[in-house]
Amino acid sequence: MRSNVKAGWSLKVAALGGMLFLHIPLLIIILYAFSIEEKSFVFPIPGFTTKWFAVAFEREDVRRALGLSIKVAAIATSLALVLGTLAAAAVWRSRFFGREAISLLLILPIALPGIITGIALRSAIGIAEIPFSTWTLVLGHATFCIVVVYNNVLARFRRTNRALIEASMDLGANGFQTLRYVVLPNIATALLAGGMLAFALSFDEVIVTTFTAGQQSTLPIWMLSELIRPRQRPVTNVVAVFVIAVTFVPIVLAFYLTRDTHDVAGSVK
Amino acid sequence: MVTLDARSEPERVNTAAALPLKSSPLQRLSSALYLRPALLTFLLLTPPLLWLGVIYLGSLFTLLAHSFFGLDEFSGVMVREFTVATWAEFFGNPATWDVVTRSALMAISVTLAAALIAFPIAHYMVRYAGMRMKAVLYLGVMLPLWSSYLVRVYAWKLILAKEGIVSWFAALLHLDWLLDAVLETPVVGGPSLSTSYLGTFIVFTYIWLPFMILPVVAALERVPGSVIEASGDLGAKPGQTFRKVIFPLAFPGVVAGSIFTFSLTLGDYIIPSIIGKSVPFLGETVYRLQGTAGNIPMAAAFTVVPIVIMGIYLTLAKRLGAFDAL
């Protein structure tokens, strides 16, 4: 509820300060990507250059890590889209014993600290003697991506009129036609938004990934190893900017896809 | 585990039964499913439940079971026999409590700081910002929430570095003495901001802040305007209205946000290892035990700590009505 009173200056300052706190660090990353200084994080940066962008994109290890990240995020997102939508549909269309438990189960992989999910998967992979591969990564990522899709799709379902489905059936469509021509068009943007957020989440995930990757390196794992043992700082800066850019697009798109419908796309990450 | 309640949609079943049934196989399958909503629900639920039940819960319980295994004293290899030795060592070791207390204190401070910073932003967003401004602010909270965790931690490494922005800024404003005084403070200080508790605390607060803002916004949105007007009509000053009406009504939102800030701080192992004093926190301890130390049973015992703490926390939060604010 918006009030007609003007905000006091102290509230304005506090709100502005909080927002600056959230955003200045991202701007600083971008600034440093253009620095000519190689060895330290000296501020202000001594000079501008764009040469590090070229250097970073020539690096074989960066490219390989990027490729793996995209592959894993794409597969995990597809799986999460199917599983999350199925769960959302079940919870929406009927009441059944244990319905509350389903929401809890779905949320658990992100409500519990990531290290628990990671180490649990690691020990299970060890016991089952599954060799580390793209698929062990997908296993972990899909698990925590399901809830993102589920939340988005369920929110949309809750505002979909059930009468639409009955009308479709009354007009002679069978269940599959109803799904194709009524249900899916209705939830399409929610699917797209949920899918993009799931992609961004998977693309960026590092904690669970560390445990299920073995010797493989996704982009976040590459970054983590550079943070702990820096080799070429300017390249890390450039990759960081690249990661910001890659995640920026799906987030903004997801926001615009769901804003008119009041879905809170990120209410539970 | 899922008992289906077939009575949920009786009218719909009746209308479907009255329809003439066509005979294409797809049509028959679809009619069959429509007549048995319980079966359809079951079919819808099976794949996601199998995935989460087998892969996620299965792994989780396997891990917890490991805490009842022990290590061979000589070889250091895990022995798959039931023992409570790991738990005895866990409770007997003073270092355990050290780690748990440190992590819990950090989680509490981060939660309080995040609530303090989040409330004005949320309050401004809900009660004072216009439509356009509100969308900008909302996106402004969502972007850091979803953008790369590592990149944002990395940004603080740049900012807090000895030769970095904070030092430069302090020197510019002739406030070096203040920065030095802060760094010399026992406990929170350190050789530089990026190697002190204060640094760890700032970065944690920064990273989890959006998780606090969003639930508080959701809770504030739900405070009816009429209640606030009524409070004003009854003679309360804006400050009083805030303290006595708005804040108590939005408090469940703060609790909901604190679930995230608390849990995420408790389990994180990357931030303290990159920025801070290199003293062990809970997440790091688990990571080291399962990795370099190879002591899976003890690592499993340590993972029980955040699960128990979060269990207690979630129960309390539920009492305070936090789940309605999620």
Side-chain angles (χ1 to χ4, degrees), chain B residues 157-238:
Chain B
K157 206 172 160 88
L158 303 178
I159 295 170
L160 297 177
K162 230 188 169 87
E163 71 278 9
I165 293 169
V166 173
S167 311
W168 178 80
F169 224 75
L172 188 75
L173 301 174
H174 301 290
L175 286 175
D176 325 42
W177 57 271
L178 184 66
L179 185 63
D180 290 338
V182 170
L183 288 178
E184 273 159 28
T185 315
V187 187
V188 296
S192 79
L193 274 173
S194 60
T195 51
S196 67
Y197 274 136
L198 187 63
T200 318
F201 166 76
I202 293 174
V203 179
F204 268 133
T205 310
Y206 168 75
I207 298 281
W208 309 134
L209 182 59
F211 288 89
M212 180 62 93
I213 299 177
L214 289 175
V216 178
V217 168
L220 281 172
E221 296 266 18
R222 250 172 276 174
V223 177
S226 55
V227 175
I228 295 163
E229 280 167 24
S231 163
D233 291 347
L234 291 170
K237 295 193 187 75

Side-chain angles (χ1 to χ4, degrees), chain B residues 77-114:
Chain B
V77 178
M78 188 167 66
V79 187
R80 297 198 172 167
E81 277 168 25
F82 180 83
T83 167
V84 289
T86 308
W87 282 105
E89 196 191 325
F90 174 81
F91 285 112
N93 194 343
T96 304
W97 301 111
D98 211 36
V99 170
V100 173
T101 325
R102 185 179 299 124
S103 307
L105 281 178
M106 180 59 86
I108 292 169
S109 349
V110 168
T111 300
L112 290 178

